[in-house]
Amino acid sequence: MVKELIVKNRSCRRFYENYLIDIEMLRDFVDCARLSASGANLQPLKYILSCDSQKNSLIFSNIAWAGYLKKWPGPEEGERPSAYVIILGDRTISPTFGCDHGIAAQSILLGATEQGLGGCMINSVKREEMQRVLTLPKQCEILLVIAIGKPKEKVVIEPVGAKGDIQYWRDSEGVHHVPKRSLDEIIIG
Amino acid sequence: MVKELIVKNRSCRRFYENYLIDIEMLRDFVDCARLSASGANLQPLKYILSCDSQKNSLIFSNIAWAGYLKKWPGPEEGERPSAYVIILGDRTISPTFGCDHGIAAQSILLGATEQGLGGCMINSVKREEMQRVLTLPKQCEILLVIAIGKPKEKVVIEPVGAKGDIQYWRDSEGVHHVPKRSLDEIIIG
């Protein structure tokens, strides 16, 4: 069931960093994105793959983690992602990218989850700096960074409480809790 | 394999209209979206479901089909979608919606594909008119309309040709052809 895979695919931010992911696996995840829908079939997305420690480290330096966990600066050494897929939008193909990167990112992470991996879509990116250190093509815009690795944290979904707070939080055991709105709250009529 | 499901999930525009889809099935597809990632976990998306002919007809009147098939006005009576999910963005929760609707739409359509259904994400929408005829809440913005039904057309993926044309086309047998860029074209470096 795809729903089970969707439930299993929780945003994950701590990993077994020594678990290696090879480039062929990343290519296969991007192939899942390639075969997904694209607005007007324009396919303006391009991808940067990283699974070596030097490139990973350049990417790590230019992203921010878990906005709601104010006291947590992000995964420490040894718990960082083993790989990344950066989704770019090629402006020579289209000036705008609609929600193509959302479609693509979901396909990539479902592919990764099925392989026992996990990851996180990261939008908090020092875009100019990342563009520079990775010498990305000027016509490409960074849309999303997807961190991928072998999950080293437990994530649970729970209902949004009476106060309506949707901020995720981490308990004393390190379990990450994610409040999700109910079906009845999000379906109108 | 989720990749097989992703490949099977082709944008489909002609359906067996008399194949009925019930509201519980639509709710289950939206549940797939509900359990998917959302930027900063804000979950600003709301959903309108439709699976009765009167509401379907109101929605159908306010969407446009297959921009590249200039001579085709869209599915004729009997081949129209049996159901729709309209994805809205609730501005009281967030002023912007990032690519949340792409993530959600992919989850919904993968759920539908697994049930032997098919569909199409439609962005060409008469938004003001649809807002009015469906009396949608003023704080909600129409982000995407997803048509869903029992597929009555064959869709094949093929490589983009030498000229680089990505426009889909329909052959004399009615088969819908979709050129997709190669993995080597979309992965940089």
Side-chain angles (χ1 to χ4, degrees), chain A residues 1-77:
Chain A
M1 286 288 292
V2 72
K3 192 168 175 179
E4 285 166 24
L5 196 62
I6 287 170
V7 170
K8 196 175 167 198
N9 172 32
R10 305 271 38 99
S11 294
C12 174
R13 298 173 179 86
R14 287 170 293 175
F15 307 92
Y16 294 98
E17 190 171 348
N18 58 5
Y19 184 96
L20 299 182
I21 295 173
D22 66 27
I23 201 84
E24 280 311 314
M25 207 170 216
L26 293 181
R27 284 176 64 90
D28 196 47
F29 301 155
V30 172
D31 209 29
C32 289
R34 179 180 83 84
L35 296 162
S36 300
S38 167
N41 199 39
L42 286 171
Q43 306 164 70
L45 304 184
K46 297 282 165 75
Y47 300 87
I48 301 283
L49 311 185
S50 174
C51 55
D52 72 75
S53 58
Q54 203 185 342
K55 199 169 178 184
N56 283 353
S57 160
L58 286 175
I59 296 170
F60 183 83
S61 308
N62 289 292
I63 52 180
W65 293 83
Y68 298 134
L69 305 181
K70 301 292 182 201
K71 291 175 183 166
W72 188 64
E76 59 190 35
E77 255 185 76

Coordinates of all heavy atoms in Angstrom, one line a residue, chain A residues 1-77:
Chain A
M1 N 0.8 -1.2 0.0 CA 0.0 0.0 0.0 C 0.9 1.3 0.0 O 1.7 1.4 0.9 CB -0.9 0.0 1.3 CG -2.0 -1.0 1.2 SD -3.3 -0.5 0.1 CE -4.0 1.0 1.0
V2 N 0.6 2.2 -0.9 CA 1.3 3.4 -1.0 C 1.1 4.3 0.3 O 2.0 5.0 0.7 CB 1.0 4.2 -2.3 CG1 -0.3 4.8 -2.3 CG2 2.1 5.2 -2.5
K3 N -0.1 4.1 0.9 CA -0.3 4.9 2.1 C 0.6 4.5 3.2 O 1.0 5.4 4.0 CB -1.8 4.7 2.5 CG -2.3 5.7 3.5 CD -3.7 5.7 3.7 CE -4.2 6.5 4.8 NZ -5.7 6.5 4.9
E4 N 0.9 3.3 3.3 CA 1.8 2.8 4.4 C 3.2 3.5 4.1 O 3.9 3.9 5.0 CB 2.0 1.3 4.4 CG 0.8 0.6 5.0 CD 0.7 -0.9 4.7 OE1 1.8 -1.5 4.4 OE2 -0.4 -1.4 4.8
L5 N 3.6 3.5 2.8 CA 4.9 4.1 2.5 C 4.9 5.6 2.8 O 5.8 6.2 3.3 CB 5.1 3.9 1.0 CG 6.6 4.1 0.5 CD1 7.5 3.1 1.2 CD2 6.6 3.9 -1.0
I6 N 3.7 6.3 2.5 CA 3.6 7.7 2.8 C 3.7 8.0 4.3 O 4.3 8.9 4.7 CB 2.2 8.2 2.2 CG1 2.3 8.3 0.7 CG2 1.9 9.6 2.8 CD1 1.0 8.6 0.0
V7 N 3.1 7.1 5.1 CA 3.1 7.3 6.5 C 4.6 7.0 7.0 O 5.1 7.7 7.9 CB 2.2 6.3 7.2 CG1 2.4 6.3 8.7 CG2 0.7 6.7 6.9
K8 N 5.2 6.0 6.4 CA 6.6 5.7 6.8 C 7.6 6.9 6.5 O 8.6 7.1 7.2 CB 7.0 4.4 6.1 CG 8.2 3.8 6.7 CD 8.5 2.4 6.0 CE 9.9 1.9 6.4 NZ 10.4 0.9 5.5
N9 N 7.2 7.6 5.4 CA 8.1 8.6 4.9 C 7.9 9.9 5.8 O 7.3 10.9 5.4 CB 7.8 8.9 3.5 CG 8.4 10.2 2.9 OD1 9.6 10.5 3.3 ND2 7.8 10.9 2.0
R10 N 8.5 9.9 7.0 CA 8.5 11.1 7.8 C 9.7 11.9 7.6 O 10.8 11.3 7.4 CB 8.3 10.7 9.3 CG 7.2 9.8 9.6 CD 5.8 10.5 9.9 NE 5.5 11.7 9.2 CZ 4.7 11.7 8.2 NH1 4.1 10.6 7.6 NH2 4.4 12.8 7.6
S11 N 9.6 13.2 7.7 CA 10.8 14.0 7.7 C 11.8 13.6 8.8 O 11.4 13.6 10.0 CB 10.5 15.5 7.8 OG 9.7 15.9 6.8
C12 N 13.0 13.3 8.4 CA 14.0 12.7 9.3 C 15.2 13.6 9.3 O 15.6 14.1 8.2 CB 14.3 11.3 8.9 SG 15.6 10.6 9.8
R13 N 15.8 13.9 10.4 CA 16.9 14.9 10.5 C 18.2 14.3 11.2 O 19.1 15.0 11.3 CB 16.4 16.1 11.2 CG 15.3 16.8 10.5 CD 14.7 18.0 11.2 NE 13.6 18.7 10.5 CZ 12.4 18.3 10.5 NH1 11.9 17.3 11.2 NH2 11.5 19.0 9.8
R14 N 18.1 13.1 11.7 CA 19.3 12.5 12.3 C 19.5 11.1 11.6 O 18.5 10.3 11.5 CB 19.2 12.4 13.8 CG 19.3 13.7 14.5 CD 18.9 13.6 16.0 NE 17.5 13.3 16.1 CZ 16.9 13.1 17.3 NH1 17.6 13.1 18.4 NH2 15.6 12.9 17.3
F15 N 20.7 10.8 11.2 CA 21.0 9.7 10.4 C 22.3 8.9 10.9 O 23.1 9.5 11.6 CB 21.2 10.1 9.0 CG 20.2 10.9 8.4 CD1 20.2 12.3 8.4 CD2 19.1 10.4 7.8 CE1 19.2 13.1 7.9 CE2 18.0 11.2 7.2 CZ 18.1 12.6 7.3
Y16 N 22.4 7.7 10.5 CA 23.7 7.0 10.6 C 24.5 7.4 9.5 O 24.4 6.9 8.3 CB 23.4 5.4 10.6 CG 22.6 4.9 11.7 CD1 21.3 4.7 11.6 CD2 23.3 4.6 12.9 CE1 20.5 4.2 12.7 CE2 22.5 4.2 14.0 CZ 21.2 3.9 13.9 OH 20.5 3.5 15.0
E17 N 25.4 8.4 9.8 CA 26.1 9.0 8.7 C 27.1 8.1 8.0 O 27.4 8.3 6.8 CB 26.9 10.3 9.2 CG 27.5 11.1 8.2 CD 28.1 12.4 8.8 OE1 27.8 12.8 9.9 OE2 28.8 13.1 8.0
N18 N 27.6 7.1 8.7 CA 28.5 6.1 8.1 C 27.8 5.1 7.2 O 28.5 4.3 6.5 CB 29.4 5.4 9.1 CG 28.5 4.7 10.2 OD1 27.3 4.6 10.0 ND2 29.1 4.1 11.2
Y19 N 26.5 5.2 7.1 CA 25.8 4.3 6.1 C 25.9 5.0 4.8 O 25.4 6.1 4.5 CB 24.3 4.2 6.5 CG 23.5 3.2 5.7 CD1 23.3 1.9 6.1 CD2 23.0 3.7 4.5 CE1 22.6 1.1 5.3 CE2 22.3 2.8 3.7 CZ 22.1 1.5 4.1 OH 21.3 0.7 3.3
L20 N 26.6 4.3 3.8 CA 26.8 4.9 2.6 C 25.7 4.7 1.5 O 25.1 3.6 1.5 CB 28.2 4.4 2.0 CG 29.4 4.8 2.9 CD1 30.7 4.3 2.2 CD2 29.5 6.3 3.2
I21 N 25.5 5.7 0.8 CA 24.5 5.7 -0.3 C 25.2 5.9 -1.6 O 26.0 6.9 -1.7 CB 23.4 6.8 -0.1 CG1 22.6 6.4 1.2 CG2 22.5 6.9 -1.3 CD1 21.6 7.5 1.6
D22 N 25.0 5.1 -2.6 CA 25.8 5.3 -3.8 C 25.0 6.1 -4.9 O 23.8 6.3 -4.8 CB 26.4 4.0 -4.4 CG 25.3 3.0 -4.9 OD1 24.2 3.5 -5.2 OD2 25.5 1.8 -4.8
I23 N 25.8 6.6 -5.8 CA 25.2 7.5 -6.8 C 24.1 6.8 -7.7 O 23.2 7.4 -8.1 CB 26.4 8.1 -7.7 CG1 26.0 9.4 -8.4 CG2 26.9 7.0 -8.7 CD1 26.1 10.6 -7.5
E24 N 24.3 5.5 -7.9 CA 23.3 4.8 -8.7 C 21.9 4.8 -8.0 O 20.9 4.9 -8.6 CB 23.7 3.3 -9.0 CG 24.7 3.2 -10.1 CD 24.3 4.0 -11.4 OE1 23.1 3.9 -11.8 OE2 25.1 4.7 -11.9
M25 N 21.9 4.7 -6.7 CA 20.7 4.7 -5.9 C 20.1 6.1 -6.0 O 18.9 6.3 -6.2 CB 21.1 4.4 -4.4 CG 19.9 3.8 -3.7 SD 20.5 3.3 -2.1 CE 19.5 1.8 -1.9
L26 N 20.9 7.2 -5.9 CA 20.4 8.5 -6.1 C 19.8 8.7 -7.5 O 18.7 9.4 -7.6 CB 21.5 9.6 -5.8 CG 22.0 9.6 -4.4 CD1 23.1 10.7 -4.3 CD2 20.9 9.9 -3.4
R27 N 20.5 8.2 -8.5 CA 20.0 8.3 -9.8 C 18.6 7.7 -10.0 O 17.7 8.2 -10.7 CB 20.9 7.7 -10.8 CG 22.2 8.6 -11.1 CD 23.2 7.9 -12.0 NE 22.6 7.6 -13.4 CZ 22.7 8.5 -14.4 NH1 23.4 9.6 -14.2 NH2 22.2 8.2 -15.6
D28 N 18.5 6.5 -9.3 CA 17.2 5.8 -9.4 C 16.1 6.6 -8.7 O 14.9 6.7 -9.2 CB 17.3 4.5 -8.7 CG 16.2 3.6 -9.1 OD1 15.9 3.5 -10.3 OD2 15.6 2.9 -8.2
F29 N 16.4 7.3 -7.6 CA 15.4 8.2 -6.9 C 15.0 9.3 -7.9 O 13.8 9.7 -8.0 CB 15.9 8.7 -5.6 CG 16.3 7.7 -4.6 CD1 17.2 7.9 -3.6 CD2 15.7 6.4 -4.6 CE1 17.6 7.0 -2.7 CE2 16.1 5.4 -3.7 CZ 17.0 5.7 -2.7
V30 N 16.0 9.9 -8.5 CA 15.7 11.0 -9.4 C 14.9 10.5 -10.6 O 14.0 11.2 -11.2 CB 17.0 11.7 -9.9 CG1 16.7 12.8 -11.0 CG2 17.6 12.4 -8.7
D31 N 15.1 9.3 -11.0 CA 14.3 8.7 -12.1 C 12.8 8.6 -11.7 O 12.0 8.8 -12.5 CB 14.8 7.3 -12.4 CG 14.6 6.9 -13.9 OD1 14.6 7.8 -14.7 OD2 14.4 5.7 -14.2
C32 N 12.6 8.4 -10.4 CA 11.2 8.5 -9.9 C 10.6 9.9 -10.1 O 9.4 10.0 -10.5 CB 11.1 8.1 -8.4 SG 11.4 6.4 -8.1
A33 N 11.4 10.9 -9.9 CA 11.0 12.3 -10.1 C 10.8 12.5 -11.6 O 9.8 13.1 -12.1 CB 12.0 13.2 -9.6
R34 N 11.7 12.1 -12.4 CA 11.7 12.3 -13.9 C 10.4 11.7 -14.5 O 9.8 12.3 -15.4 CB 12.9 11.5 -14.5 CG 13.0 11.6 -16.0 CD 14.2 10.8 -16.5 NE 14.0 9.4 -16.7 CZ 13.4 8.8 -17.7 NH1 13.0 9.6 -18.8 NH2 13.2 7.5 -17.8
L35 N 9.9 10.6 -13.9 CA 8.7 9.9 -14.5 C 7.4 10.4 -13.9 O 6.4 9.9 -14.1 CB 8.9 8.4 -14.3 CG 10.1 7.8 -15.1 CD1 10.4 6.5 -14.5 CD2 9.7 7.7 -16.6
S36 N 7.5 11.5 -13.1 CA 6.3 12.1 -12.5 C 5.8 13.2 -13.3 O 6.5 13.7 -14.3 CB 6.7 12.6 -11.0 OG 7.1 11.5 -10.3
A37 N 4.7 13.7 -12.9 CA 4.0 14.8 -13.7 C 4.9 16.1 -13.6 O 5.6 16.4 -12.6 CB 2.6 15.1 -13.2
S38 N 4.7 16.9 -14.7 CA 5.4 18.2 -14.7 C 4.4 19.2 -15.4 O 3.8 18.8 -16.4 CB 6.7 18.2 -15.5 OG 7.2 19.5 -15.8
G39 N 4.2 20.4 -14.9 CA 3.2 21.3 -15.5 C 3.5 21.6 -16.9 O 4.7 21.9 -17.3
A40 N 2.5 21.4 -17.8 CA 2.6 21.5 -19.2 C 3.8 20.6 -19.8 O 4.3 20.9 -20.9 CB 2.8 22.9 -19.7
N41 N 4.1 19.6 -19.0 CA 5.2 18.6 -19.4 C 6.5 19.4 -19.7 O 7.4 18.8 -20.4 CB 4.8 17.7 -20.5 CG 5.6 16.5 -20.6 OD1 6.0 15.9 -19.6 ND2 6.0 16.1 -21.8
L42 N 6.7 20.5 -19.2 CA 7.9 21.3 -19.5 C 9.2 20.7 -19.0 O 10.3 20.8 -19.6 CB 7.8 22.8 -19.1 CG 6.8 23.6 -19.9 CD1 6.6 25.0 -19.2 CD2 7.4 23.9 -21.3
Q43 N 9.1 20.1 -17.8 CA 10.2 19.4 -17.2 C 11.4 20.3 -17.0 O 12.5 20.1 -17.5 CB 10.7 18.2 -18.0 CG 9.5 17.2 -18.3 CD 9.8 16.2 -19.4 OE1 10.7 15.3 -19.2 NE2 9.2 16.4 -20.5
P44 N 11.2 21.4 -16.3 CA 12.3 22.4 -16.1 C 13.2 22.1 -15.0 O 14.1 22.9 -14.7 CB 11.5 23.7 -15.8 CG 10.3 23.2 -15.1 CD 9.9 21.9 -15.7
L45 N 13.0 21.0 -14.3 CA 13.8 20.7 -13.1 C 15.1 20.0 -13.5 O 15.2 19.2 -14.4 CB 13.1 19.8 -12.1 CG 11.7 20.3 -11.6 CD1 11.1 19.4 -10.5 CD2 11.8 21.7 -11.0
K46 N 16.2 20.4 -12.8 CA 17.5 19.8 -12.9 C 17.9 19.3 -11.5 O 17.4 19.8 -10.5 CB 18.5 20.8 -13.5 CG 18.2 21.3 -14.9 CD 18.5 20.2 -16.0 CE 17.9 20.5 -17.4 NZ 18.5 21.6 -18.1
Y47 N 18.9 18.4 -11.5 CA 19.2 17.8 -10.2 C 20.7 17.7 -10.0 O 21.5 17.4 -10.9 CB 18.7 16.4 -10.1 CG 17.2 16.3 -10.3 CD1 16.5 16.3 -11.5 CD2 16.3 16.4 -9.1 CE1 15.1 16.3 -11.6 CE2 15.0 16.4 -9.3 CZ 14.4 16.3 -10.5 OH 13.0 16.3 -10.6
I48 N 21.1 18.0 -8.8 CA 22.5 17.9 -8.3 C 22.5 16.7 -7.3 O 21.7 16.7 -6.4 CB 23.1 19.1 -7.6 CG1 23.0 20.4 -8.6 CG2 24.5 18.9 -7.1 CD1 24.1 20.4 -9.6
L49 N 23.4 15.8 -7.5 CA 23.5 14.6 -6.6 C 24.8 14.7 -5.8 O 25.8 15.2 -6.3 CB 23.5 13.3 -7.4 CG 22.4 13.1 -8.4 CD1 22.5 11.7 -9.0 CD2 21.1 13.4 -7.9
S50 N 24.7 14.3 -4.5 CA 25.9 14.3 -3.7 C 25.9 13.1 -2.8 O 24.9 12.9 -2.1 CB 26.0 15.6 -2.9 OG 27.1 15.6 -2.0
C51 N 26.9 12.4 -2.8 CA 27.1 11.3 -1.8 C 28.5 11.1 -1.3 O 28.9 10.1 -0.8 CB 26.5 10.0 -2.3 SG 27.1 9.4 -3.9
D52 N 29.3 12.2 -1.6 CA 30.7 12.1 -1.0 C 30.8 13.1 0.1 O 30.2 14.2 0.1 CB 31.8 12.2 -2.1 CG 31.9 13.6 -2.6 OD1 32.5 14.5 -1.9 OD2 31.4 13.8 -3.7
S53 N 31.7 12.8 1.1 CA 31.7 13.6 2.3 C 32.1 15.1 2.0 O 31.6 16.0 2.7 CB 32.6 13.0 3.3 OG 33.9 12.9 2.8
Q54 N 32.9 15.3 1.1 CA 33.4 16.7 0.8 C 32.2 17.6 0.3 O 31.9 18.7 0.8 CB 34.5 16.7 -0.2 CG 35.4 17.9 -0.1 CD 36.5 18.0 -1.2 OE1 36.8 16.9 -1.8 NE2 37.0 19.1 -1.4
K55 N 31.5 17.0 -0.7 CA 30.4 17.8 -1.3 C 29.2 17.9 -0.3 O 28.6 18.9 -0.1 CB 29.9 17.1 -2.6 CG 29.1 17.9 -3.5 CD 28.9 17.2 -4.8 CE 28.1 17.9 -5.8 NZ 27.9 17.1 -7.1
N56 N 29.0 16.8 0.5 CA 28.0 16.8 1.5 C 28.2 17.9 2.5 O 27.3 18.6 2.9 CB 28.0 15.5 2.3 CG 27.3 14.3 1.5 OD1 26.7 14.6 0.4 ND2 27.4 13.1 2.0
S57 N 29.5 18.1 2.9 CA 29.9 19.1 3.8 C 29.6 20.5 3.3 O 29.2 21.4 4.1 CB 31.3 18.8 4.2 OG 31.9 19.9 4.8
L58 N 29.9 20.7 2.1 CA 29.6 22.0 1.5 C 28.1 22.3 1.5 O 27.7 23.4 1.8 CB 30.0 22.1 0.0 CG 31.6 22.2 -0.3 CD1 31.8 22.1 -1.8 CD2 32.1 23.5 0.3
I59 N 27.3 21.3 1.2 CA 25.9 21.5 1.2 C 25.4 21.7 2.7 O 24.6 22.6 2.9 CB 25.2 20.2 0.6 CG1 25.6 20.2 -0.9 CG2 23.6 20.3 0.7 CD1 25.1 18.9 -1.6
F60 N 25.9 20.9 3.6 CA 25.5 21.0 5.0 C 25.7 22.4 5.5 O 24.9 22.9 6.3 CB 26.2 19.9 5.8 CG 25.8 20.0 7.3 CD1 24.7 19.3 7.7 CD2 26.5 20.7 8.2 CE1 24.3 19.3 9.0 CE2 26.1 20.7 9.6 CZ 25.0 20.0 10.0
S61 N 26.8 23.0 5.1 CA 27.1 24.3 5.7 C 26.2 25.4 5.2 O 26.2 26.5 5.7 CB 28.5 24.8 5.1 OG 29.5 23.8 5.4
N62 N 25.3 25.1 4.2 CA 24.5 26.1 3.7 C 23.0 25.8 3.8 O 22.2 26.3 3.0 CB 24.9 26.4 2.2 CG 26.2 27.1 2.1 OD1 26.3 28.2 2.5 ND2 27.2 26.3 1.6
I63 N 22.7 25.0 4.8 CA 21.2 24.7 5.0 C 21.0 24.9 6.5 O 21.9 24.8 7.3 CB 20.8 23.3 4.6 CG1 21.7 22.2 5.1 CG2 20.8 23.2 3.0 CD1 21.4 20.8 4.7
A64 N 19.7 25.1 6.8 CA 19.3 25.2 8.2 C 18.3 24.2 8.5 O 17.5 23.8 7.7 CB 18.8 26.6 8.5
W65 N 18.2 23.7 9.8 CA 17.4 22.6 10.2 C 16.4 22.9 11.2 O 16.6 23.7 12.1 CB 18.4 21.5 10.8 CG 19.3 20.9 9.9 CD1 20.5 21.4 9.5 CD2 19.2 19.7 9.2 NE1 21.2 20.6 8.6 CE2 20.4 19.6 8.4 CE3 18.2 18.7 9.1 CZ2 20.6 18.5 7.5 CZ3 18.4 17.6 8.3 CH2 19.6 17.5 7.5
A66 N 15.2 22.3 11.0 CA 14.1 22.2 12.0 C 13.9 23.6 12.8 O 14.2 23.7 13.9 CB 14.5 21.2 13.1
G67 N 13.3 24.5 12.0 CA 13.0 25.8 12.6 C 12.4 25.9 13.9 O 12.7 26.9 14.7
Y68 N 11.6 24.9 14.3 CA 10.9 25.0 15.6 C 11.7 24.5 16.7 O 11.4 24.7 17.9 CB 9.6 24.2 15.5 CG 8.6 24.7 14.5 CD1 7.9 23.8 13.7 CD2 8.2 26.0 14.4 CE1 7.0 24.2 12.8 CE2 7.3 26.5 13.5 CZ 6.7 25.5 12.7 OH 5.7 26.0 11.8
L69 N 12.8 23.8 16.4 CA 13.7 23.3 17.5 C 14.8 24.3 17.8 O 15.9 24.2 17.3 CB 14.3 21.9 17.2 CG 13.3 20.8 16.8 CD1 14.0 19.5 16.5 CD2 12.2 20.6 17.9
K70 N 14.4 25.4 18.5 CA 15.3 26.6 18.6 C 16.7 26.3 19.2 O 17.7 26.9 18.9 CB 14.6 27.7 19.4 CG 13.3 28.1 18.9 CD 13.4 28.9 17.6 CE 12.1 29.4 17.1 NZ 12.1 29.7 15.6
K71 N 16.7 25.3 20.1 CA 17.9 25.0 20.8 C 18.8 23.9 20.1 O 19.9 23.6 20.5 CB 17.6 24.5 22.2 CG 17.1 25.6 23.1 CD 16.7 25.0 24.4 CE 16.0 26.1 25.3 NZ 15.4 25.5 26.5
W72 N 18.3 23.5 18.9 CA 19.0 22.4 18.2 C 19.6 22.9 16.9 O 18.9 23.3 16.0 CB 18.0 21.2 17.9 CG 18.7 20.0 17.4 CD1 19.6 19.2 18.0 CD2 18.5 19.4 16.1 NE1 19.9 18.1 17.2 CE2 19.3 18.3 16.0 CE3 17.7 19.8 15.0 CZ2 19.3 17.4 14.9 CZ3 17.7 19.0 13.8 CH2 18.5 17.8 13.8
P73 N 20.9 23.0 16.8 CA 21.6 23.6 15.7 C 21.6 22.7 14.4 O 22.1 23.1 13.4 CB 23.0 23.8 16.1 CG 23.2 22.8 17.2 CD 21.9 22.5 17.8
G74 N 21.0 21.5 14.5 CA 21.0 20.5 13.4 C 21.9 19.3 13.8 O 22.4 19.3 14.9
P75 N 21.9 18.3 12.9 CA 22.5 17.0 13.3 C 24.0 17.2 13.5 O 24.7 17.9 12.7 CB 22.2 16.1 12.1 CG 21.9 17.0 11.0 CD 21.3 18.3 11.6
E76 N 24.5 16.6 14.6 CA 25.9 16.7 14.8 C 26.7 15.7 13.9 O 26.1 14.9 13.3 CB 26.2 16.3 16.3 CG 25.7 14.9 16.7 CD 25.7 14.7 18.2 OE1 25.5 15.7 19.0 OE2 26.0 13.6 18.6
E77 N 28.0 15.8 13.9 CA 28.9 15.0 13.1 C 28.6 13.5 13.5 O 28.5 13.2 14.7 CB 30.3 15.3 13.4 CG 30.9 16.0 12.2 CD 32.4 16.3 12.3 OE1 33.2 15.3 12.1 OE2 32.8 17.4 12.7

